[in-house]
Amino acid sequence: MASLTAPKIVSSRAHFSDSHTIARFLDTDGYVGLRKALTMFPEQVAAEVDAASLLGRGGAGFPAGRKWSMLRKSPISYLVVNGDESEPATFKDHFLVERDPNQLVEGVIIAAYALQVSQAFIFLRGEFALGLERVQQAVNDAYAQGALGKNIFGHDFSLDIVVHTGAGAYVCGEETALIEALEGKRGFPRIKPPFFPAVTGLYGEPTVVNNVETMSNLPWIIRNGGAAFAALGAGRSTGTRLFALAGRVNHPGVYEIEMVKNTFRDIIFDEALGGGIPGGKALKAIIPGGVSSPWFGPELLDTPLGQDEVGGLGSMLGSGSIVVLDEDSCVVRAVWRITKFFSNESCGQCTPCREGSGWIERIMYRLEHGGGRLEDVDLLLDLCDNIAPGLSWPPQQTTICVLGPSIPSSVTSAIKMFRDEFVAHVTNGGCTHV
Amino acid sequence: MSHFHPDLRARADELVTLYPRKRSAMLPLLHLAQEQDGYLTEPAILEIAELTGTSPADVRGTAAFYDMIHLEPVGTYVVGVCTNIACLLNGGLEMLEHASDVLGCPVGGTSADGLFTLEETECLADCNLAPCVQVNHRYVRTTTPDAFSELVSDLRTGSTKHDIPSHGTLVRVRRSGGLRVTREELAAQRATAAAARAERDAAAKAAAEAAAAIEELKKQD
């Protein structure tokens, strides 16, 4: 049974048709968290987020509070909000910027206060045209309400937020690439170390980069206290989380549910959530955390939706996306399309990723469209091993960023689980799915 | 003489001032050029180079990295059909094929009448309404071939029932308000916060010392 009793922390307004307006926002606890935060010391605000144990919602799952406190030694210059959501089948940040832009802006102001920065940037995907307009409107409204600008709500704190527009590049979701794009350059991830923009970030200055959903959690955490947030979920996975459910399900959508208390089976099959698979078909596989994550078979359906619970089984909760493949879905076609995506989006800096993604895509293409060879299956594994040696999880790194080592996930999962389908594509001279 | 129309040039000038460094306005300026011309033209490249303090080659090189920036003319409507995983599983490839037939242009091409450019896109993050279609970066949410055909005939007849601005127009909400805090003001803000923290730390230390002294006295009793 799905556990649906937890409060809605980031999606509480989403059911209103005017959830994005300042009027609705002010009617429903708008800026209450911010007003409270401004009466606290900045480090008390940070301590509250630490107490919540809020894990970053971007994909890596790094504790947000620690990201802030690590940097305490040197003052932070800039806060950058990552809204460049491009991991395939992930659409929860899209949901947040369109449905509740004011909540995001409030969260950003709270974070900026905790970090004592006076300049924040919200970096949104260019494809989110409506979201961009709504967030810009929310920023304008915040200025009009005195929640932004000089001496916010009469306190000795000032902040400006600039809404920045991306231009279509998946790799810019990687935080150092995002910073390069924000500096007006090609979105090339930066060489590590330093591992954190907190050391060398925007314009070479200490910068904190946080995800849209992470920011959207802050107003509730400040209103209700970090302990109330930490009381939800279990283990390292506290609070609720937005899950984007897509693929072969009856009710695809964004669902906010308590961490760990629900399983993949709950979110896919519960009537109040995914509602099962169209036509009552059998589930073939799930992609649990974006196309960068290794797949799960039906035997892992009862795995709880938690960071360590999924991580312990050799995959990841990642971006909070869950894709369902049913018995009619062709895994070879799915893997071909996923590798084509990586091939398109590789920034081209590192050879294993730039060349490897293209080679794998071409082999997957000929398997799917006819012309594949029996030895292609092992050739694919060999290529994957060159990109992420040992094919372990988390993958070995041969490249500047994690885009490259994410390529093998779907290829090796699908071969491990459905090798016979790959072979059948060779013997049948291509795909036989309609 | 500016290539940008006066109102767009004013917005370009404002964009440059929003960032600590001019070059940061690069992507918004590229979008602005497309808002005016539909794609990135040579004169726009020259002017963006001047606005951002870079070279035309640098602007072109940066623009070429990003999928949304077009270096060649496009149709009035740029139609994007997603075929990535969630859409693929729900007929994305079939939708793309259908779109190519209905629009009369190959994927990546522009129709003879110059009305439509068709693109196969990566995930557009609207996967609950798969397959996902955008027209000039507005979600049109036509998930069936029939609904798509209907939309296309609306667009052909110039119907205004769809809220689709010209290609390149992303944000129609103008920025109002704004502040650039100077380094001095920031330092003052931080100094105030640091003083408050020091005061509080001192108070906490004094309280702890007092408590320790009382403990000590109790022990002596």
Coordinates of all heavy atoms in Angstrom, one line a residue, chain A residues 112-200:
Chain A
A112 N 19.9 32.7 -0.2 CA 20.9 33.8 -0.3 C 21.1 34.5 1.0 O 22.3 34.9 1.3 CB 20.3 34.8 -1.3
Y113 N 20.1 34.6 1.8 CA 20.2 35.2 3.2 C 21.2 34.3 4.0 O 22.1 34.8 4.7 CB 18.9 35.4 3.8 CG 19.0 35.9 5.2 CD1 19.4 37.2 5.5 CD2 18.7 35.1 6.3 CE1 19.5 37.7 6.8 CE2 18.8 35.6 7.6 CZ 19.2 36.9 7.9 OH 19.4 37.4 9.1
A114 N 20.9 33.0 4.0 CA 21.7 32.1 4.8 C 23.2 32.2 4.4 O 24.1 32.1 5.2 CB 21.2 30.7 4.6
L115 N 23.4 32.4 3.1 CA 24.8 32.4 2.5 C 25.3 33.8 2.5 O 26.5 34.0 2.2 CB 24.8 31.8 1.1 CG 24.5 30.3 1.0 CD1 24.1 30.0 -0.4 CD2 25.7 29.5 1.4
Q116 N 24.5 34.8 2.8 CA 24.8 36.2 2.8 C 25.4 36.6 1.4 O 26.5 37.2 1.3 CB 25.8 36.5 3.9 CG 25.2 36.5 5.3 CD 24.2 37.7 5.5 OE1 24.6 38.9 5.5 NE2 22.9 37.4 5.6
V117 N 24.7 36.2 0.4 CA 25.1 36.7 -1.0 C 24.1 37.8 -1.4 O 22.9 37.7 -1.0 CB 25.2 35.6 -2.0 CG1 26.1 34.5 -1.6 CG2 23.8 35.0 -2.4
S118 N 24.5 38.7 -2.3 CA 23.6 39.7 -2.7 C 23.2 39.6 -4.2 O 22.5 40.3 -4.7 CB 24.3 41.1 -2.5 OG 25.4 41.2 -3.3
Q119 N 23.8 38.6 -4.8 CA 23.5 38.3 -6.2 C 23.2 36.9 -6.5 O 24.0 36.0 -6.2 CB 24.6 38.8 -7.1 CG 24.3 38.7 -8.6 CD 23.2 39.6 -9.1 OE1 23.4 40.8 -9.1 NE2 22.1 39.1 -9.6
A120 N 22.0 36.6 -7.0 CA 21.6 35.2 -7.3 C 21.2 35.1 -8.8 O 20.7 36.1 -9.3 CB 20.5 34.7 -6.4
F121 N 21.5 34.0 -9.4 CA 21.0 33.8 -10.8 C 20.2 32.5 -10.8 O 20.5 31.5 -10.2 CB 22.2 33.5 -11.7 CG 23.1 34.7 -11.8 CD1 24.3 34.9 -11.0 CD2 22.8 35.8 -12.7 CE1 25.1 36.0 -11.1 CE2 23.7 36.9 -12.7 CZ 24.8 37.0 -12.0
I122 N 19.0 32.6 -11.5 CA 18.2 31.4 -11.7 C 18.4 31.0 -13.1 O 18.0 31.7 -14.0 CB 16.7 31.6 -11.4 CG1 16.6 32.1 -9.9 CG2 15.9 30.4 -11.6 CD1 15.1 32.3 -9.5
F123 N 19.1 29.9 -13.4 CA 19.4 29.4 -14.7 C 18.3 28.4 -15.1 O 18.3 27.3 -14.6 CB 20.8 28.8 -14.7 CG 21.3 28.4 -16.1 CD1 22.5 29.0 -16.5 CD2 20.7 27.6 -16.9 CE1 23.1 28.7 -17.8 CE2 21.2 27.3 -18.2 CZ 22.4 27.8 -18.6
L124 N 17.5 28.8 -16.1 CA 16.5 27.9 -16.6 C 16.7 27.5 -18.0 O 17.3 28.2 -18.8 CB 15.1 28.6 -16.5 CG 14.6 29.0 -15.1 CD1 13.2 29.7 -15.2 CD2 14.5 27.8 -14.2
R125 N 16.2 26.3 -18.3 CA 16.3 25.8 -19.7 C 15.6 26.8 -20.6 O 14.5 27.3 -20.3 CB 15.5 24.5 -19.8 CG 16.3 23.3 -19.8 CD 15.4 22.1 -20.1 NE 15.5 21.7 -21.5 CZ 15.1 20.6 -22.0 NH1 14.6 19.7 -21.2 NH2 15.3 20.3 -23.3
G126 N 16.2 27.1 -21.8 CA 15.6 27.9 -22.7 C 14.2 27.4 -23.2 O 13.3 28.2 -23.6
E127 N 14.1 26.1 -23.3 CA 12.9 25.5 -23.8 C 11.7 25.7 -22.8 O 10.5 25.5 -23.2 CB 13.1 24.0 -24.0 CG 14.0 23.6 -25.1 CD 15.5 23.5 -24.7 OE1 15.8 24.0 -23.6 OE2 16.3 22.9 -25.4
F128 N 12.0 26.1 -21.6 CA 10.9 26.4 -20.6 C 10.4 27.8 -20.8 O 10.4 28.7 -19.9 CB 11.4 26.3 -19.2 CG 11.7 24.9 -18.7 CD1 12.4 24.6 -17.6 CD2 11.3 23.8 -19.5 CE1 12.7 23.3 -17.1 CE2 11.6 22.5 -19.1 CZ 12.3 22.3 -17.9
A129 N 9.9 28.2 -22.0 CA 9.5 29.6 -22.3 C 8.4 30.0 -21.3 O 8.6 31.1 -20.7 CB 9.0 29.7 -23.7
L130 N 7.4 29.2 -21.0 CA 6.4 29.6 -20.1 C 6.9 29.7 -18.7 O 6.6 30.7 -17.9 CB 5.2 28.7 -20.1 CG 4.0 29.0 -19.2 CD1 3.4 30.3 -19.5 CD2 3.0 27.8 -19.2
G131 N 7.7 28.8 -18.3 CA 8.4 28.8 -17.0 C 9.2 30.0 -16.8 O 9.2 30.7 -15.7
L132 N 10.0 30.4 -17.8 CA 10.8 31.6 -17.8 C 10.0 32.9 -17.5 O 10.3 33.7 -16.7 CB 11.6 31.8 -19.1 CG 12.9 31.0 -19.3 CD1 13.2 30.8 -20.7 CD2 14.0 31.6 -18.5
E133 N 8.8 32.9 -18.2 CA 8.0 34.1 -18.1 C 7.4 34.1 -16.6 O 7.3 35.2 -16.0 CB 6.8 34.0 -19.1 CG 7.3 34.3 -20.5 CD 6.2 34.4 -21.5 OE1 5.1 33.9 -21.3 OE2 6.5 35.0 -22.6
R134 N 7.0 33.0 -16.1 CA 6.4 32.9 -14.8 C 7.5 33.2 -13.7 O 7.1 33.9 -12.7 CB 5.7 31.6 -14.6 CG 4.5 31.5 -15.4 CD 3.6 30.3 -15.0 NE 2.3 30.4 -15.7 CZ 1.4 29.5 -15.8 NH1 1.7 28.3 -15.2 NH2 0.3 29.6 -16.4
V135 N 8.7 32.7 -13.9 CA 9.7 33.0 -12.9 C 10.1 34.5 -12.9 O 10.3 35.1 -11.9 CB 10.9 32.1 -13.0 CG1 12.0 32.5 -12.1 CG2 10.5 30.6 -12.8
Q136 N 10.2 35.1 -14.1 CA 10.5 36.5 -14.2 C 9.4 37.3 -13.6 O 9.6 38.3 -12.9 CB 10.6 36.9 -15.7 CG 11.0 38.4 -15.9 CD 12.4 38.7 -15.3 OE1 13.4 38.1 -15.6 NE2 12.4 39.5 -14.2
Q137 N 8.1 36.9 -13.8 CA 7.0 37.6 -13.1 C 7.1 37.4 -11.6 O 6.8 38.4 -10.9 CB 5.6 37.0 -13.6 CG 4.4 37.7 -13.1 CD 4.4 39.1 -13.6 OE1 4.6 39.4 -14.8 NE2 4.2 40.1 -12.7
A138 N 7.5 36.3 -11.1 CA 7.6 36.1 -9.7 C 8.7 37.0 -9.1 O 8.6 37.5 -8.0 CB 7.9 34.6 -9.4
V139 N 9.8 37.1 -9.9 CA 10.9 38.0 -9.4 C 10.4 39.5 -9.4 O 10.6 40.2 -8.4 CB 12.1 37.9 -10.3 CG1 13.1 39.0 -10.1 CG2 12.8 36.5 -10.1
N140 N 9.7 39.9 -10.5 CA 9.1 41.2 -10.5 C 8.1 41.5 -9.3 O 8.2 42.5 -8.7 CB 8.3 41.4 -11.8 CG 9.2 41.5 -13.0 OD1 10.4 41.5 -12.9 ND2 8.6 41.5 -14.2
D141 N 7.3 40.4 -9.1 CA 6.4 40.6 -7.9 C 7.1 40.7 -6.6 O 6.7 41.4 -5.7 CB 5.4 39.4 -7.9 CG 4.4 39.5 -9.1 OD1 4.1 40.6 -9.6 OD2 3.9 38.4 -9.5
A142 N 8.2 39.9 -6.5 CA 8.9 39.9 -5.2 C 9.5 41.3 -5.0 O 9.5 41.8 -3.9 CB 10.0 38.9 -5.3
Y143 N 10.0 41.9 -6.1 CA 10.5 43.3 -6.0 C 9.3 44.2 -5.5 O 9.5 45.1 -4.6 CB 11.0 43.8 -7.3 CG 12.5 43.6 -7.5 CD1 13.0 42.7 -8.4 CD2 13.4 44.3 -6.7 CE1 14.3 42.4 -8.5 CE2 14.8 44.1 -6.9 CZ 15.2 43.2 -7.8 OH 16.6 43.0 -7.9
A144 N 8.2 44.1 -6.1 CA 7.0 44.9 -5.8 C 6.6 44.7 -4.3 O 6.1 45.7 -3.7 CB 5.9 44.6 -6.7
Q145 N 6.8 43.5 -3.8 CA 6.4 43.2 -2.5 C 7.4 43.6 -1.4 O 7.2 43.4 -0.2 CB 6.0 41.7 -2.3 CG 4.9 41.2 -3.2 CD 3.6 41.7 -2.7 OE1 3.4 41.9 -1.5 NE2 2.6 41.9 -3.6
G146 N 8.6 44.0 -1.9 CA 9.7 44.3 -1.0 C 10.4 43.1 -0.5 O 11.2 43.1 0.4
A147 N 10.2 42.0 -1.2 CA 10.9 40.7 -0.8 C 12.2 40.6 -1.6 O 13.0 39.7 -1.3 CB 10.0 39.5 -1.2
L148 N 12.5 41.5 -2.5 CA 13.8 41.6 -3.2 C 14.2 43.0 -3.3 O 13.3 43.9 -3.2 CB 13.6 41.0 -4.6 CG 13.9 39.6 -4.9 CD1 13.7 39.2 -6.4 CD2 15.3 39.1 -4.4
G149 N 15.5 43.3 -3.5 CA 15.9 44.6 -3.7 C 16.7 45.0 -2.4 O 17.2 44.2 -1.7
K150 N 16.7 46.3 -2.2 CA 17.4 46.9 -1.0 C 16.6 46.7 0.3 O 15.4 46.9 0.3 CB 17.7 48.4 -1.3 CG 19.1 48.7 -0.9 CD 19.5 50.1 -1.4 CE 20.9 50.0 -1.7 NZ 21.6 50.3 -2.7
N151 N 17.3 46.3 1.3 CA 16.7 46.1 2.6 C 15.4 45.4 2.6 O 14.3 45.9 2.8 CB 16.5 47.5 3.3 CG 17.8 48.2 3.5 OD1 18.9 47.5 3.6 ND2 17.8 49.5 3.6
I152 N 15.5 44.1 2.3 CA 14.3 43.2 2.2 C 13.4 43.2 3.4 O 13.9 42.9 4.5 CB 14.8 41.8 1.8 CG1 15.4 41.8 0.4 CG2 13.6 40.8 1.9 CD1 16.0 40.6 0.0
F153 N 12.2 43.5 3.3 CA 11.2 43.6 4.4 C 11.8 44.5 5.5 O 11.6 44.1 6.7 CB 10.8 42.3 4.9 CG 9.9 41.5 3.9 CD1 10.1 40.1 3.8 CD2 9.0 42.1 3.1 CE1 9.3 39.4 2.8 CE2 8.2 41.4 2.2 CZ 8.4 40.1 2.1
G154 N 12.6 45.5 5.2 CA 13.1 46.4 6.2 C 14.3 45.9 7.0 O 14.8 46.5 7.9
H155 N 14.8 44.7 6.6 CA 16.0 44.1 7.3 C 17.3 44.6 6.6 O 17.2 45.0 5.4 CB 15.9 42.6 7.3 CG 14.8 42.1 8.2 ND1 15.0 41.7 9.5 CD2 13.5 41.9 7.9 CE1 13.9 41.3 10.0 NE2 12.9 41.4 9.1
D156 N 18.3 44.4 7.3 CA 19.6 44.8 6.7 C 20.2 43.7 5.8 O 21.2 43.2 6.0 CB 20.6 45.0 7.9 CG 21.9 45.7 7.4 OD1 21.8 46.3 6.3 OD2 22.9 45.7 8.2
F157 N 19.4 43.4 4.7 CA 19.8 42.4 3.8 C 19.2 42.8 2.4 O 18.1 43.1 2.3 CB 19.3 41.0 4.2 CG 19.6 40.0 3.1 CD1 20.9 39.6 2.8 CD2 18.6 39.3 2.5 CE1 21.2 38.6 1.9 CE2 18.8 38.4 1.5 CZ 20.1 38.0 1.2
S158 N 20.1 42.8 1.4 CA 19.7 43.1 0.0 C 20.1 42.1 -1.0 O 21.1 41.4 -0.8 CB 20.4 44.5 -0.4 OG 20.2 45.4 0.6
L159 N 19.2 41.9 -1.9 CA 19.5 40.8 -2.9 C 18.9 41.2 -4.3 O 17.8 41.7 -4.3 CB 18.9 39.5 -2.4 CG 18.9 38.3 -3.4 CD1 20.4 37.8 -3.6 CD2 18.0 37.2 -2.9
D160 N 19.6 40.8 -5.3 CA 19.0 40.9 -6.7 C 19.0 39.5 -7.3 O 19.9 38.7 -7.0 CB 19.9 41.8 -7.6 CG 19.4 41.8 -9.0 OD1 18.1 41.8 -9.2 OD2 20.2 41.8 -9.9
I161 N 18.0 39.1 -8.0 CA 17.9 37.9 -8.7 C 17.8 38.1 -10.2 O 17.0 38.9 -10.6 CB 16.7 37.0 -8.3 CG1 16.8 36.6 -6.8 CG2 16.6 35.8 -9.2 CD1 15.7 35.7 -6.3
V162 N 18.7 37.5 -11.0 CA 18.6 37.6 -12.5 C 18.2 36.2 -13.0 O 18.7 35.2 -12.6 CB 20.0 38.0 -13.1 CG1 19.9 37.8 -14.6 CG2 20.3 39.4 -12.7
V163 N 17.1 36.2 -13.8 CA 16.7 35.0 -14.5 C 17.4 34.8 -15.8 O 17.4 35.7 -16.6 CB 15.1 35.1 -14.7 CG1 14.7 33.7 -15.3 CG2 14.4 35.4 -13.5
H164 N 18.2 33.8 -15.8 CA 19.1 33.5 -17.0 C 18.5 32.4 -17.9 O 18.0 31.4 -17.4 CB 20.5 33.2 -16.5 CG 21.5 33.1 -17.6 ND1 22.1 34.2 -18.1 CD2 22.0 32.1 -18.3 CE1 23.0 33.9 -19.0 NE2 22.9 32.6 -19.2
T165 N 18.7 32.6 -19.2 CA 18.1 31.6 -20.1 C 19.2 30.8 -20.8 O 20.1 31.3 -21.3 CB 17.5 32.4 -21.3 OG1 16.8 33.6 -20.7 CG2 16.5 31.6 -22.1
G166 N 19.0 29.5 -20.7 CA 19.9 28.5 -21.4 C 19.5 28.5 -22.8 O 18.6 29.2 -23.3
A167 N 20.2 27.7 -23.6 CA 20.0 27.7 -25.0 C 20.0 26.3 -25.6 O 20.3 26.1 -26.8 CB 21.0 28.6 -25.7
G168 N 19.7 25.3 -24.8 CA 19.6 23.9 -25.4 C 20.9 23.2 -25.4 O 21.6 23.0 -26.4
A169 N 21.3 22.7 -24.2 CA 22.5 21.8 -24.1 C 22.4 21.0 -22.8 O 22.4 21.6 -21.7 CB 23.8 22.6 -24.1
Y170 N 22.2 19.7 -22.9 CA 22.0 18.8 -21.7 C 23.2 19.0 -20.7 O 23.0 19.0 -19.5 CB 21.9 17.4 -22.2 CG 22.1 16.3 -21.1 CD1 21.1 16.1 -20.2 CD2 23.1 15.4 -21.2 CE1 21.2 15.1 -19.2 CE2 23.3 14.4 -20.2 CZ 22.3 14.3 -19.3 OH 22.5 13.2 -18.4
V171 N 24.4 19.1 -21.3 CA 25.6 19.1 -20.4 C 25.6 20.3 -19.5 O 26.3 20.2 -18.4 CB 26.8 19.0 -21.3 CG1 27.2 20.3 -22.0 CG2 28.0 18.5 -20.5
C172 N 24.8 21.3 -19.8 CA 24.8 22.5 -18.9 C 24.2 22.2 -17.6 O 24.2 23.0 -16.7 CB 24.2 23.7 -19.6 SG 25.2 24.4 -20.9
G173 N 23.5 21.1 -17.4 CA 23.0 20.7 -16.1 C 24.1 20.4 -15.2 O 24.0 20.4 -14.0
E174 N 25.3 20.0 -15.7 CA 26.5 19.8 -14.9 C 26.9 21.1 -14.4 O 27.1 22.1 -15.1 CB 27.6 19.1 -15.7 CG 28.6 18.4 -15.0 CD 29.8 19.2 -14.6 OE1 29.9 20.4 -14.9 OE2 30.7 18.7 -13.9
E175 N 27.1 21.2 -13.0 CA 27.2 22.6 -12.5 C 28.4 23.4 -13.0 O 28.2 24.6 -13.1 CB 27.2 22.5 -10.9 CG 28.3 21.8 -10.3 CD 28.1 21.7 -8.8 OE1 27.1 22.1 -8.3 OE2 29.0 21.1 -8.1
T176 N 29.5 22.8 -13.3 CA 30.6 23.7 -13.8 C 30.3 24.1 -15.3 O 30.7 25.2 -15.7 CB 32.0 23.0 -13.7 OG1 32.0 21.8 -14.5 CG2 32.3 22.6 -12.3
A177 N 29.6 23.2 -16.0 CA 29.2 23.6 -17.4 C 28.2 24.7 -17.3 O 28.2 25.7 -18.2 CB 28.7 22.4 -18.2
L178 N 27.3 24.6 -16.3 CA 26.3 25.6 -16.1 C 26.9 27.0 -15.9 O 26.5 28.0 -16.4 CB 25.4 25.2 -14.9 CG 24.2 26.1 -14.6 CD1 23.0 25.5 -15.2 CD2 24.0 26.3 -13.1
I179 N 28.0 27.0 -15.1 CA 28.7 28.2 -14.8 C 29.4 28.8 -16.0 O 29.3 30.0 -16.3 CB 29.7 28.0 -13.6 CG1 29.0 27.8 -12.3 CG2 30.7 29.1 -13.6 CD1 29.8 27.4 -11.2
E180 N 30.0 27.9 -16.9 CA 30.6 28.3 -18.1 C 29.5 29.0 -19.0 O 29.7 30.1 -19.6 CB 31.2 27.2 -18.9 CG 32.5 26.6 -18.2 CD 33.7 27.5 -18.5 OE1 34.0 27.8 -19.6 OE2 34.3 28.0 -17.5
A181 N 28.3 28.4 -19.1 CA 27.2 28.9 -19.9 C 26.8 30.3 -19.3 O 26.5 31.2 -20.1 CB 26.1 28.0 -20.0
L182 N 26.8 30.4 -18.0 CA 26.4 31.6 -17.4 C 27.5 32.7 -17.6 O 27.2 33.9 -17.5 CB 26.2 31.4 -15.9 CG 25.6 32.5 -15.0 CD1 24.4 33.1 -15.6 CD2 25.2 31.9 -13.6
E183 N 28.7 32.3 -17.9 CA 29.7 33.2 -18.2 C 29.7 33.6 -19.7 O 30.5 34.3 -20.2 CB 31.1 32.7 -17.8 CG 31.3 32.6 -16.3 CD 32.8 32.2 -15.9 OE1 33.6 32.0 -16.8 OE2 33.0 32.1 -14.7
G184 N 28.7 33.0 -20.4 CA 28.6 33.3 -21.8 C 29.4 32.5 -22.8 O 29.7 32.9 -23.9
K185 N 29.9 31.3 -22.3 CA 30.7 30.5 -23.1 C 30.0 29.2 -23.5 O 28.9 29.0 -23.1 CB 32.0 30.2 -22.3 CG 32.8 31.4 -21.8 CD 33.9 30.9 -21.0 CE 34.5 32.1 -20.2 NZ 35.2 31.6 -19.0
R186 N 30.7 28.4 -24.3 CA 30.2 27.0 -24.6 C 30.1 26.3 -23.2 O 30.9 26.5 -22.3 CB 31.2 26.3 -25.5 CG 31.3 26.8 -26.8 CD 32.3 26.0 -27.7 NE 31.9 26.1 -29.1 CZ 31.8 25.1 -29.9 NH1 32.2 23.9 -29.6 NH2 31.4 25.3 -31.1
G187 N 29.1 25.4 -23.1 CA 28.9 24.7 -21.9 C 29.9 23.5 -21.7 O 29.5 22.4 -21.7
F188 N 31.1 23.8 -21.6 CA 32.1 22.8 -21.3 C 32.4 22.6 -19.8 O 32.8 23.5 -19.1 CB 33.5 23.2 -22.0 CG 33.6 23.0 -23.4 CD1 34.6 23.7 -24.1 CD2 32.7 22.3 -24.1 CE1 34.7 23.5 -25.5 CE2 32.8 22.1 -25.5 CZ 33.8 22.8 -26.2
P189 N 32.1 21.4 -19.3 CA 32.4 21.2 -17.9 C 33.9 21.5 -17.6 O 34.7 21.3 -18.5 CB 32.1 19.7 -17.7 CG 31.1 19.4 -18.8 CD 31.5 20.2 -19.9
R190 N 34.1 21.9 -16.4 CA 35.5 22.3 -16.0 C 36.2 21.1 -15.4 O 35.6 20.2 -14.8 CB 35.4 23.4 -15.0 CG 35.0 24.7 -15.5 CD 34.9 25.8 -14.4 NE 34.5 27.1 -15.0 CZ 34.2 28.1 -14.2 NH1 34.3 28.0 -12.9 NH2 33.9 29.3 -14.8
I191 N 37.5 21.1 -15.6 CA 38.4 20.1 -15.0 C 38.4 20.2 -13.5 O 38.4 21.2 -12.9 CB 39.8 20.2 -15.6 CG1 39.8 19.9 -17.1 CG2 40.8 19.3 -14.9 CD1 41.1 20.2 -17.8
K192 N 38.3 19.0 -12.9 CA 38.3 18.9 -11.4 C 39.7 18.3 -11.0 O 40.2 17.4 -11.7 CB 37.2 18.0 -10.9 CG 35.8 18.6 -11.0 CD 35.1 18.1 -12.2 CE 33.8 18.8 -12.4 NZ 33.4 18.6 -13.8
P193 N 40.2 18.5 -9.8 CA 39.7 19.5 -8.8 C 40.0 21.0 -9.3 O 40.7 21.1 -10.3 CB 40.5 19.2 -7.6 CG 41.8 18.6 -8.1 CD 41.5 17.9 -9.4
P194 N 39.4 21.9 -8.7 CA 38.5 21.8 -7.5 C 37.2 21.2 -7.9 O 36.6 21.4 -8.9 CB 38.3 23.3 -7.1 CG 38.5 24.1 -8.4 CD 39.5 23.3 -9.1
F195 N 36.7 20.3 -6.9 CA 35.4 19.6 -7.2 C 34.2 20.5 -7.0 O 33.2 20.2 -7.6 CB 35.4 18.4 -6.3 CG 36.3 17.3 -6.7 CD1 37.6 17.2 -6.1 CD2 36.0 16.5 -7.8 CE1 38.5 16.2 -6.5 CE2 37.0 15.5 -8.2 CZ 38.2 15.4 -7.5
F196 N 34.3 21.5 -6.2 CA 33.1 22.3 -6.0 C 33.3 23.7 -6.4 O 34.3 24.4 -6.2 CB 32.8 22.2 -4.5 CG 32.4 20.9 -4.0 CD1 33.3 20.0 -3.4 CD2 31.1 20.4 -4.2 CE1 32.9 18.8 -3.0 CE2 30.7 19.1 -3.8 CZ 31.6 18.3 -3.2
P197 N 32.2 24.3 -7.0 CA 32.2 25.7 -7.4 C 32.4 26.6 -6.2 O 32.7 27.7 -6.3 CB 30.9 25.9 -8.1 CG 30.4 24.5 -8.4 CD 31.0 23.6 -7.4
A198 N 32.2 26.0 -5.0 CA 32.3 26.7 -3.8 C 33.8 27.2 -3.7 O 34.0 28.2 -3.0 CB 32.0 25.9 -2.6
V199 N 34.7 26.5 -4.3 CA 36.1 27.0 -4.3 C 36.3 27.9 -5.4 O 36.7 29.1 -5.2 CB 37.0 25.7 -4.4 CG1 38.5 26.2 -4.3 CG2 36.7 24.8 -3.2
T200 N 36.1 27.5 -6.6 CA 36.2 28.3 -7.8 C 35.0 28.2 -8.6 O 34.8 27.2 -9.3 CB 37.5 27.9 -8.6 OG1 38.6 27.8 -7.8 CG2 37.8 28.9 -9.7

